[in-house]
Amino acid sequence: MNTAHSLDLLQAAGLPSVFHLSINGKLVDADRSFDVLNPANNKVIAQAPQASAQQLEEAIQAAAQAFKSWSALSWQTRSDYILRYADALEARQDELITLLTLEQGKPKHSQAKSEVEAAIYWVREVAKREIPVQVIEDTAEHVVEVHHTPLGVVGAITPWNFPVLLGLWKVAPCLITGNTMVMKPSPYTPLTSLFFGEIAQSVLPPGVLSVLSGGNELGQIITEHPAIAKISFTGSTATGKKVMASGASNLKRITLELGGNDAAVVLADADWPSIVKPLFWAAFGNSGQWCIAVKRLYVHSSIHAAFTAAFVEYAKTVKVGDGMDQSTDLGPIQNRMQYEKLIDLFEDTRKQGYNVPLGGVIDQSLAGNFVPITVVDNPPENSRIVQEEPFGPILPVIAFDDVEDVIARVNASPYGLAGSVWGGDRAAAIAVAKRMETGTVWVNEIHIHGIDIPFGGHKLSGMGVENGQEGLAGFTNTKSYMFKK
Ligand code: NAD
């Protein structure tokens, strides 16, 4: 591996070339380290420290110790700390954006920038939210109130597709509600999390947020550890099931944000030329490596051919390349494991002889994990490309005739993350959306998120929610107080 070349790249971008674990307020090294690759060329960009089980233990014990004083602070004091953290992140946001592109691949000027900006906005806004005490009864004789109390140490485990946003989505609500956190990012994208962990040590009390990189085994230790009260996990459904099983040992509270196979349904009366572009980005943004990407696009048969032709024409204007290049619209696949899975899915699509009006062939001679934008025209409902979550830039555009039939096909999925419906008759579109078995639905728009909007999956897409009052409450125990006057 060409380490020297890549460290030069970090230095040229004004970035640190050495990354540390953050444990109990200190930046520490590990005895071992592992390579972090730039997916645009598979060169090493840096070494990440591989935390030992002993270091993880130290971080968990420090978080348990810090919990005593952090949870005793007033809500306002914790909010002030978190607002200072948002300011400190903002002061380093350019570095965070560059680092995100280098380790994750997404284009620096667009998707990396918006991920980092959204994450900082989230930290700042969540710091202003509260869970009010609910007064159930207040009579001359009796008071009944419902309070929310912090849980203790939270273990956060994050994936590689949105490491900054999904990581900080967990940090802010966890800390404002009075918990402390030990975070383990994906081994594919540890650098941005180590970086925001390092920034945290300059503003937060020791032990309140520790970030440790390492392999999957660290995640498993976190899920089994008796001193961890809750796991906040984002990742695949397969790993989510393991997290739930090992969390059972001490009945951990568990929030799981898992995979999806989101459908978009374009009804016959949709103003379809105006939605080609938003639906393209809804499917291919972040090169399809997105839990809520549109992964099945159902279009009414009366407009299917015209829609697909226009969709393909628009797709041809989009450039796939190195995210550091200003002209790039979509970056590479983040890691080789996912790239190999896509090779297998592309091979199946080719072998089955489906009609592929765009893309379809992965050039494996390229140094980076580049996969072409691929559209599969009307494959059968039981094909792998319709039934599986590809997590890459390949989309089936499927024709349907009957609304009842398409609703049944959409809901036949074991996943239930999100979905969208597009149509001219708003009431009819809403009626279809209401029947989707998903945690989120959008009508004539897509991918709207908000601090106050709960987000979570039904069925195999997860358990519990992030964001909104429910998301905050998910970091707490409910406690009923009763006082005789
Ligand atoms: P993954 O499940 O392989 O890994 C996620 C994290 O779990 C990583 O940090 C990994 O090191 C850790 N891990 C692996 N094995 C573990 C174990 N036995 N115990 C504890 N932790 C363990 O997922 P990924 O490949 O990083 O992410 C892609 C998946 O994430 C996709 O399925 C995608 O749909 C899903 N995702 C969901 C959301 C959502 O909000 N619903 C958001 C982003 C991604």
Side-chain angles (χ1 to χ4, degrees), residues 130-172:
E130 280 188 56
I131 308 182
V133 170
Q134 196 187 352
V135 180
I136 305 289
E137 189 182 316
D138 188 0
T139 63
E141 302 82 36
H142 200 219
V143 175
V144 180
E145 292 175 353
V146 178
H147 294 227
H148 285 85
T149 57
L151 297 166
V153 181
V154 173
I157 302 175
T158 57
W160 44 261
N161 57 343
F162 287 86
V164 178
L165 184 68
L166 297 177
L168 291 173
W169 261 23
K170 299 186 186 309
V171 171

mmCIF file of all heavy atoms in Angstrom, residues 130-172:
data_model
loop_
_atom_site.group_PDB
_atom_site.id
_atom_site.type_symbol
_atom_site.label_atom_id
_atom_site.label_comp_id
_atom_site.label_asym_id
_atom_site.label_seq_id
_atom_site.Cartn_x
_atom_site.Cartn_y
_atom_site.Cartn_z
ATOM 1 N N GLU A 130 -36.267 19.802 24.627
ATOM 2 C CA GLU A 130 -36.454 19.324 26.003
ATOM 3 C C GLU A 130 -37.545 18.266 26.044
ATOM 4 O O GLU A 130 -38.366 18.197 25.123
ATOM 5 C CB GLU A 130 -36.904 20.469 26.910
ATOM 6 C CG GLU A 130 -35.768 21.356 27.345
ATOM 7 C CD GLU A 130 -36.223 22.344 28.394
ATOM 8 O OE1 GLU A 130 -36.750 21.915 29.442
ATOM 9 O OE2 GLU A 130 -36.061 23.550 28.142
ATOM 10 N N ILE A 131 -37.554 17.487 27.101
ATOM 11 C CA ILE A 131 -38.714 16.605 27.331
ATOM 12 C C ILE A 131 -39.457 17.176 28.538
ATOM 13 O O ILE A 131 -38.976 17.060 29.670
ATOM 14 C CB ILE A 131 -38.301 15.152 27.622
ATOM 15 C CG1 ILE A 131 -37.348 14.629 26.550
ATOM 16 C CG2 ILE A 131 -39.541 14.270 27.715
ATOM 17 C CD1 ILE A 131 -36.935 13.178 26.767
ATOM 18 N N PRO A 132 -40.589 17.820 28.308
ATOM 19 C CA PRO A 132 -41.277 18.441 29.446
ATOM 20 C C PRO A 132 -41.860 17.396 30.393
ATOM 21 O O PRO A 132 -42.192 16.289 29.975
ATOM 22 C CB PRO A 132 -42.394 19.263 28.784
ATOM 23 C CG PRO A 132 -42.487 18.791 27.381
ATOM 24 C CD PRO A 132 -41.272 18.009 27.031
ATOM 25 N N VAL A 133 -41.955 17.772 31.652
ATOM 26 C CA VAL A 133 -42.643 16.914 32.631
ATOM 27 C C VAL A 133 -44.129 16.936 32.280
ATOM 28 O O VAL A 133 -44.698 17.988 32.012
ATOM 29 C CB VAL A 133 -42.425 17.461 34.057
ATOM 30 C CG1 VAL A 133 -43.319 16.730 35.055
ATOM 31 C CG2 VAL A 133 -40.959 17.340 34.447
ATOM 32 N N GLN A 134 -44.732 15.756 32.248
ATOM 33 C CA GLN A 134 -46.154 15.676 31.908
ATOM 34 C C GLN A 134 -46.960 15.575 33.209
ATOM 35 O O GLN A 134 -46.703 14.675 34.019
ATOM 36 C CB GLN A 134 -46.357 14.423 31.046
ATOM 37 C CG GLN A 134 -47.666 14.399 30.312
ATOM 38 C CD GLN A 134 -47.855 13.045 29.611
ATOM 39 O OE1 GLN A 134 -46.947 12.206 29.553
ATOM 40 N NE2 GLN A 134 -49.049 12.837 29.091
ATOM 41 N N VAL A 135 -47.856 16.513 33.402
ATOM 42 C CA VAL A 135 -48.684 16.469 34.609
ATOM 43 C C VAL A 135 -49.991 15.756 34.263
ATOM 44 O O VAL A 135 -50.784 16.231 33.461
ATOM 45 C CB VAL A 135 -48.965 17.891 35.143
ATOM 46 C CG1 VAL A 135 -49.823 17.818 36.409
ATOM 47 C CG2 VAL A 135 -47.660 18.624 35.411
ATOM 48 N N ILE A 136 -50.165 14.589 34.863
ATOM 49 C CA ILE A 136 -51.348 13.769 34.564
ATOM 50 C C ILE A 136 -52.508 14.199 35.453
ATOM 51 O O ILE A 136 -53.653 14.227 35.032
ATOM 52 C CB ILE A 136 -51.037 12.266 34.818
ATOM 53 C CG1 ILE A 136 -49.804 11.815 34.040
ATOM 54 C CG2 ILE A 136 -52.250 11.381 34.533
ATOM 55 C CD1 ILE A 136 -49.985 11.702 32.561
ATOM 56 N N GLU A 137 -52.170 14.537 36.699
ATOM 57 C CA GLU A 137 -53.216 14.893 37.659
ATOM 58 C C GLU A 137 -52.626 15.873 38.661
ATOM 59 O O GLU A 137 -51.466 15.714 39.091
ATOM 60 C CB GLU A 137 -53.653 13.603 38.382
ATOM 61 C CG GLU A 137 -54.865 13.768 39.246
ATOM 62 C CD GLU A 137 -55.203 12.466 39.974
ATOM 63 O OE1 GLU A 137 -55.154 11.382 39.333
ATOM 64 O OE2 GLU A 137 -55.488 12.533 41.186
ATOM 65 N N ASP A 138 -53.362 16.912 38.995
ATOM 66 C CA ASP A 138 -52.913 17.847 40.036
ATOM 67 C C ASP A 138 -54.153 18.362 40.756
ATOM 68 O O ASP A 138 -54.744 19.372 40.372
ATOM 69 C CB ASP A 138 -52.108 18.993 39.397
ATOM 70 C CG ASP A 138 -51.454 19.869 40.453
ATOM 71 O OD1 ASP A 138 -51.629 19.571 41.663
ATOM 72 O OD2 ASP A 138 -50.779 20.843 40.079
ATOM 73 N N THR A 139 -54.564 17.617 41.768
ATOM 74 C CA THR A 139 -55.783 17.958 42.504
ATOM 75 C C THR A 139 -55.401 18.416 43.913
ATOM 76 O O THR A 139 -54.208 18.442 44.260
ATOM 77 C CB THR A 139 -56.698 16.725 42.621
ATOM 78 O OG1 THR A 139 -55.999 15.734 43.382
ATOM 79 C CG2 THR A 139 -57.067 16.170 41.264
ATOM 80 N N ALA A 140 -56.389 18.723 44.728
ATOM 81 C CA ALA A 140 -56.118 19.159 46.101
ATOM 82 C C ALA A 140 -55.414 18.063 46.894
ATOM 83 O O ALA A 140 -54.639 18.330 47.806
ATOM 84 C CB ALA A 140 -57.427 19.544 46.780
ATOM 85 N N GLU A 141 -55.664 16.806 46.523
ATOM 86 C CA GLU A 141 -55.103 15.692 47.312
ATOM 87 C C GLU A 141 -53.878 15.039 46.689
ATOM 88 O O GLU A 141 -53.071 14.434 47.376
ATOM 89 C CB GLU A 141 -56.148 14.561 47.487
ATOM 90 C CG GLU A 141 -57.448 14.907 48.151
ATOM 91 C CD GLU A 141 -58.421 15.530 47.175
ATOM 92 O OE1 GLU A 141 -58.439 15.119 46.007
ATOM 93 O OE2 GLU A 141 -59.124 16.482 47.569
ATOM 94 N N HIS A 142 -53.733 15.198 45.359
ATOM 95 C CA HIS A 142 -52.815 14.266 44.704
ATOM 96 C C HIS A 142 -52.149 14.884 43.483
ATOM 97 O O HIS A 142 -52.771 15.652 42.753
ATOM 98 C CB HIS A 142 -53.652 13.039 44.256
ATOM 99 C CG HIS A 142 -52.855 11.820 43.993
ATOM 100 N ND1 HIS A 142 -53.145 10.964 42.953
ATOM 101 C CD2 HIS A 142 -51.781 11.295 44.622
ATOM 102 C CE1 HIS A 142 -52.286 9.960 42.965
ATOM 103 N NE2 HIS A 142 -51.451 10.138 43.970
ATOM 104 N N VAL A 143 -50.875 14.513 43.258
ATOM 105 C CA VAL A 143 -50.169 14.940 42.039
ATOM 106 C C VAL A 143 -49.627 13.697 41.341
ATOM 107 O O VAL A 143 -49.057 12.814 41.994
ATOM 108 C CB VAL A 143 -48.977 15.868 42.376
ATOM 109 C CG1 VAL A 143 -48.188 16.212 41.119
ATOM 110 C CG2 VAL A 143 -49.453 17.127 43.061
ATOM 111 N N VAL A 144 -49.815 13.641 40.046
ATOM 112 C CA VAL A 144 -49.216 12.557 39.251
ATOM 113 C C VAL A 144 -48.450 13.203 38.096
ATOM 114 O O VAL A 144 -49.021 13.966 37.315
ATOM 115 C CB VAL A 144 -50.277 11.594 38.678
ATOM 116 C CG1 VAL A 144 -49.610 10.490 37.864
ATOM 117 C CG2 VAL A 144 -51.132 11.014 39.782
ATOM 118 N N GLU A 145 -47.155 12.893 38.008
ATOM 119 C CA GLU A 145 -46.324 13.447 36.930
ATOM 120 C C GLU A 145 -45.552 12.333 36.242
ATOM 121 O O GLU A 145 -45.208 11.326 36.871
ATOM 122 C CB GLU A 145 -45.296 14.430 37.497
ATOM 123 C CG GLU A 145 -45.891 15.694 38.056
ATOM 124 C CD GLU A 145 -44.844 16.585 38.727
ATOM 125 O OE1 GLU A 145 -43.679 16.146 38.875
ATOM 126 O OE2 GLU A 145 -45.185 17.709 39.093
ATOM 127 N N VAL A 146 -45.256 12.552 34.967
ATOM 128 C CA VAL A 146 -44.392 11.604 34.251
ATOM 129 C C VAL A 146 -43.093 12.335 33.899
ATOM 130 O O VAL A 146 -43.108 13.384 33.259
ATOM 131 C CB VAL A 146 -45.073 11.076 32.971
ATOM 132 C CG1 VAL A 146 -44.126 10.138 32.226
ATOM 133 C CG2 VAL A 146 -46.364 10.365 33.320
ATOM 134 N N HIS A 147 -41.981 11.781 34.370
ATOM 135 C CA HIS A 147 -40.659 12.341 34.100
ATOM 136 C C HIS A 147 -39.884 11.370 33.212
ATOM 137 O O HIS A 147 -40.247 10.196 33.109
ATOM 138 C CB HIS A 147 -39.875 12.516 35.409
ATOM 139 C CG HIS A 147 -40.456 13.533 36.335
ATOM 140 N ND1 HIS A 147 -39.696 14.493 36.950
ATOM 141 C CD2 HIS A 147 -41.731 13.753 36.759
ATOM 142 C CE1 HIS A 147 -40.469 15.266 37.711
ATOM 143 N NE2 HIS A 147 -41.711 14.816 37.614
ATOM 144 N N HIS A 148 -38.825 11.866 32.605
ATOM 145 C CA HIS A 148 -37.930 10.998 31.836
ATOM 146 C C HIS A 148 -36.530 11.115 32.410
ATOM 147 O O HIS A 148 -35.976 12.214 32.458
ATOM 148 C CB HIS A 148 -37.952 11.372 30.355
ATOM 149 C CG HIS A 148 -39.207 10.922 29.675
ATOM 150 N ND1 HIS A 148 -40.367 11.655 29.677
ATOM 151 C CD2 HIS A 148 -39.496 9.762 29.017
ATOM 152 C CE1 HIS A 148 -41.316 10.997 29.040
ATOM 153 N NE2 HIS A 148 -40.818 9.836 28.633
ATOM 154 N N THR A 149 -35.977 9.995 32.819
ATOM 155 C CA THR A 149 -34.665 10.016 33.467
ATOM 156 C C THR A 149 -33.638 9.323 32.565
ATOM 157 O O THR A 149 -33.984 8.401 31.822
ATOM 158 C CB THR A 149 -34.739 9.292 34.827
ATOM 159 O OG1 THR A 149 -35.210 7.953 34.602
ATOM 160 C CG2 THR A 149 -35.686 9.995 35.769
ATOM 161 N N PRO A 150 -32.386 9.779 32.636
ATOM 162 C CA PRO A 150 -31.373 9.177 31.759
ATOM 163 C C PRO A 150 -31.110 7.712 32.104
ATOM 164 O O PRO A 150 -31.382 7.260 33.215
ATOM 165 C CB PRO A 150 -30.129 10.028 32.002
ATOM 166 C CG PRO A 150 -30.385 10.779 33.262
ATOM 167 C CD PRO A 150 -31.856 10.882 33.445
ATOM 168 N N LEU A 151 -30.563 7.013 31.112
ATOM 169 C CA LEU A 151 -30.379 5.573 31.258
ATOM 170 C C LEU A 151 -29.028 5.206 31.857
ATOM 171 O O LEU A 151 -28.912 4.247 32.611
ATOM 172 C CB LEU A 151 -30.479 4.905 29.876
ATOM 173 C CG LEU A 151 -31.824 5.038 29.161
ATOM 174 C CD1 LEU A 151 -31.685 4.639 27.698
ATOM 175 C CD2 LEU A 151 -32.867 4.171 29.849
ATOM 176 N N GLY A 152 -27.974 5.933 31.452
ATOM 177 C CA GLY A 152 -26.627 5.580 31.893
ATOM 178 C C GLY A 152 -25.665 5.689 30.714
ATOM 179 O O GLY A 152 -25.676 6.672 29.975
ATOM 180 N N VAL A 153 -24.872 4.638 30.513
ATOM 181 C CA VAL A 153 -23.910 4.651 29.406
ATOM 182 C C VAL A 153 -24.582 4.061 28.158
ATOM 183 O O VAL A 153 -25.149 2.964 28.219
ATOM 184 C CB VAL A 153 -22.659 3.812 29.757
ATOM 185 C CG1 VAL A 153 -21.662 3.852 28.596
ATOM 186 C CG2 VAL A 153 -22.018 4.311 31.034
ATOM 187 N N VAL A 154 -24.501 4.798 27.068
ATOM 188 C CA VAL A 154 -25.071 4.335 25.793
ATOM 189 C C VAL A 154 -23.928 3.898 24.879
ATOM 190 O O VAL A 154 -22.918 4.600 24.756
ATOM 191 C CB VAL A 154 -25.887 5.467 25.124
ATOM 192 C CG1 VAL A 154 -26.350 5.055 23.729
ATOM 193 C CG2 VAL A 154 -27.079 5.848 26.003
ATOM 194 N N GLY A 155 -24.085 2.759 24.258
ATOM 195 C CA GLY A 155 -23.133 2.305 23.245
ATOM 196 C C GLY A 155 -23.690 2.647 21.867
ATOM 197 O O GLY A 155 -24.831 2.286 21.556
ATOM 198 N N ALA A 156 -22.915 3.380 21.072
ATOM 199 C CA ALA A 156 -23.367 3.761 19.724
ATOM 200 C C ALA A 156 -22.526 3.011 18.704
ATOM 201 O O ALA A 156 -21.291 2.992 18.796
ATOM 202 C CB ALA A 156 -23.216 5.268 19.524
ATOM 203 N N ILE A 157 -23.193 2.388 17.749
ATOM 204 C CA ILE A 157 -22.500 1.610 16.710
ATOM 205 C C ILE A 157 -23.015 2.114 15.367
ATOM 206 O O ILE A 157 -24.229 2.125 15.130
ATOM 207 C CB ILE A 157 -22.766 0.098 16.897
ATOM 208 C CG1 ILE A 157 -22.299 -0.341 18.299
ATOM 209 C CG2 ILE A 157 -22.053 -0.710 15.812
ATOM 210 C CD1 ILE A 157 -22.618 -1.780 18.647
ATOM 211 N N THR A 158 -22.095 2.554 14.504
ATOM 212 C CA THR A 158 -22.537 3.264 13.282
ATOM 213 C C THR A 158 -21.981 2.620 12.006
ATOM 214 O O THR A 158 -20.976 1.914 12.044
ATOM 215 C CB THR A 158 -22.109 4.747 13.358
ATOM 216 O OG1 THR A 158 -20.696 4.815 13.532
ATOM 217 C CG2 THR A 158 -22.793 5.465 14.514
ATOM 218 N N PRO A 159 -22.637 2.890 10.869
ATOM 219 C CA PRO A 159 -22.224 2.298 9.587
ATOM 220 C C PRO A 159 -21.329 3.243 8.775
ATOM 221 O O PRO A 159 -20.973 4.324 9.245
ATOM 222 C CB PRO A 159 -23.566 2.108 8.883
ATOM 223 C CG PRO A 159 -24.382 3.273 9.325
ATOM 224 C CD PRO A 159 -23.917 3.636 10.704
ATOM 225 N N TRP A 160 -21.036 2.837 7.547
ATOM 226 C CA TRP A 160 -20.050 3.557 6.740
ATOM 227 C C TRP A 160 -20.653 4.475 5.679
ATOM 228 O O TRP A 160 -19.928 5.116 4.937
ATOM 229 C CB TRP A 160 -19.088 2.575 6.050
ATOM 230 C CG TRP A 160 -19.768 1.374 5.430
ATOM 231 C CD1 TRP A 160 -19.861 0.132 5.998
ATOM 232 C CD2 TRP A 160 -20.440 1.288 4.170
ATOM 233 N NE1 TRP A 160 -20.566 -0.713 5.170
ATOM 234 C CE2 TRP A 160 -20.926 -0.037 4.032
ATOM 235 C CE3 TRP A 160 -20.676 2.190 3.132
ATOM 236 C CZ2 TRP A 160 -21.635 -0.470 2.913
ATOM 237 C CZ3 TRP A 160 -21.384 1.767 2.016
ATOM 238 C CH2 TRP A 160 -21.851 0.448 1.924
ATOM 239 N N ASN A 161 -21.984 4.505 5.573
ATOM 240 C CA ASN A 161 -22.546 5.289 4.454
ATOM 241 C C ASN A 161 -22.708 6.773 4.767
ATOM 242 O O ASN A 161 -22.505 7.615 3.899
ATOM 243 C CB ASN A 161 -23.860 4.662 3.965
ATOM 244 C CG ASN A 161 -24.895 4.527 5.045
ATOM 245 O OD1 ASN A 161 -24.589 4.602 6.236
ATOM 246 N ND2 ASN A 161 -26.125 4.330 4.650
ATOM 247 N N PHE A 162 -23.108 7.080 6.030
ATOM 248 C CA PHE A 162 -23.202 8.482 6.483
ATOM 249 C C PHE A 162 -22.548 8.579 7.873
ATOM 250 O O PHE A 162 -23.243 8.787 8.867
ATOM 251 C CB PHE A 162 -24.669 8.934 6.572
ATOM 252 C CG PHE A 162 -25.331 9.152 5.242
ATOM 253 C CD1 PHE A 162 -25.932 8.102 4.561
ATOM 254 C CD2 PHE A 162 -25.356 10.414 4.647
ATOM 255 C CE1 PHE A 162 -26.544 8.289 3.332
ATOM 256 C CE2 PHE A 162 -25.964 10.616 3.417
ATOM 257 C CZ PHE A 162 -26.562 9.554 2.756
ATOM 258 N N PRO A 163 -21.247 8.388 7.948
ATOM 259 C CA PRO A 163 -20.637 8.261 9.282
ATOM 260 C C PRO A 163 -20.753 9.512 10.139
ATOM 261 O O PRO A 163 -20.877 9.408 11.365
ATOM 262 C CB PRO A 163 -19.169 7.947 8.979
ATOM 263 C CG PRO A 163 -18.953 8.350 7.559
ATOM 264 C CD PRO A 163 -20.268 8.223 6.867
ATOM 265 N N VAL A 164 -20.759 10.681 9.516
ATOM 266 C CA VAL A 164 -20.824 11.914 10.324
ATOM 267 C C VAL A 164 -22.259 12.165 10.783
ATOM 268 O O VAL A 164 -22.533 12.322 11.974
ATOM 269 C CB VAL A 164 -20.291 13.126 9.509
ATOM 270 C CG1 VAL A 164 -20.415 14.404 10.325
ATOM 271 C CG2 VAL A 164 -18.839 12.890 9.095
ATOM 272 N N LEU A 165 -23.176 12.159 9.845
ATOM 273 C CA LEU A 165 -24.573 12.472 10.185
ATOM 274 C C LEU A 165 -25.155 11.437 11.144
ATOM 275 O O LEU A 165 -25.732 11.782 12.180
ATOM 276 C CB LEU A 165 -25.421 12.543 8.911
ATOM 277 C CG LEU A 165 -26.865 12.967 9.138
ATOM 278 C CD1 LEU A 165 -26.950 14.423 9.582
ATOM 279 C CD2 LEU A 165 -27.708 12.779 7.878
ATOM 280 N N LEU A 166 -24.984 10.169 10.812
ATOM 281 C CA LEU A 166 -25.614 9.136 11.639
ATOM 282 C C LEU A 166 -24.942 9.033 13.006
ATOM 283 O O LEU A 166 -25.590 8.699 13.999
ATOM 284 C CB LEU A 166 -25.617 7.795 10.906
ATOM 285 C CG LEU A 166 -26.445 7.805 9.610
ATOM 286 C CD1 LEU A 166 -26.346 6.478 8.882
ATOM 287 C CD2 LEU A 166 -27.907 8.138 9.897
ATOM 288 N N GLY A 167 -23.641 9.354 13.064
ATOM 289 C CA GLY A 167 -22.946 9.374 14.358
ATOM 290 C C GLY A 167 -23.465 10.510 15.229
ATOM 291 O O GLY A 167 -23.866 10.302 16.382
ATOM 292 N N LEU A 168 -23.494 11.725 14.671
ATOM 293 C CA LEU A 168 -23.896 12.874 15.489
ATOM 294 C C LEU A 168 -25.393 12.875 15.785
ATOM 295 O O LEU A 168 -25.829 13.456 16.778
ATOM 296 C CB LEU A 168 -23.440 14.175 14.815
ATOM 297 C CG LEU A 168 -21.909 14.351 14.827
ATOM 298 C CD1 LEU A 168 -21.485 15.563 14.001
ATOM 299 C CD2 LEU A 168 -21.355 14.466 16.243
ATOM 300 N N TRP A 169 -26.185 12.199 14.946
ATOM 301 C CA TRP A 169 -27.613 11.995 15.250
ATOM 302 C C TRP A 169 -27.779 11.278 16.585
ATOM 303 O O TRP A 169 -28.799 11.406 17.233
ATOM 304 C CB TRP A 169 -28.257 11.113 14.173
ATOM 305 C CG TRP A 169 -29.005 11.835 13.114
ATOM 306 C CD1 TRP A 169 -28.840 13.126 12.731
ATOM 307 C CD2 TRP A 169 -30.043 11.291 12.282
ATOM 308 N NE1 TRP A 169 -29.712 13.411 11.699
ATOM 309 C CE2 TRP A 169 -30.459 12.313 11.413
ATOM 310 C CE3 TRP A 169 -30.641 10.036 12.177
ATOM 311 C CZ2 TRP A 169 -31.466 12.133 10.456
ATOM 312 C CZ3 TRP A 169 -31.638 9.855 11.224
ATOM 313 C CH2 TRP A 169 -32.047 10.896 10.370
ATOM 314 N N LYS A 170 -26.796 10.451 16.928
ATOM 315 C CA LYS A 170 -26.890 9.698 18.180
ATOM 316 C C LYS A 170 -26.337 10.512 19.348
ATOM 317 O O LYS A 170 -26.878 10.478 20.449
ATOM 318 C CB LYS A 170 -26.122 8.383 18.056
ATOM 319 C CG LYS A 170 -26.664 7.478 16.955
ATOM 320 C CD LYS A 170 -25.976 6.142 16.965
ATOM 321 C CE LYS A 170 -26.394 5.271 15.785
ATOM 322 N NZ LYS A 170 -27.849 5.126 15.598
ATOM 323 N N VAL A 171 -25.237 11.232 19.083
ATOM 324 C CA VAL A 171 -24.543 11.929 20.161
ATOM 325 C C VAL A 171 -25.452 12.961 20.836
ATOM 326 O O VAL A 171 -25.607 12.966 22.066
ATOM 327 C CB VAL A 171 -23.266 12.628 19.619
ATOM 328 C CG1 VAL A 171 -22.654 13.538 20.685
ATOM 329 C CG2 VAL A 171 -22.246 11.591 19.151
ATOM 330 N N ALA A 172 -26.049 13.845 20.022
ATOM 331 C CA ALA A 172 -26.751 14.990 20.612
ATOM 332 C C ALA A 172 -27.934 14.572 21.505
ATOM 333 O O ALA A 172 -28.009 15.001 22.664
ATOM 334 C CB ALA A 172 -27.192 15.954 19.509
#
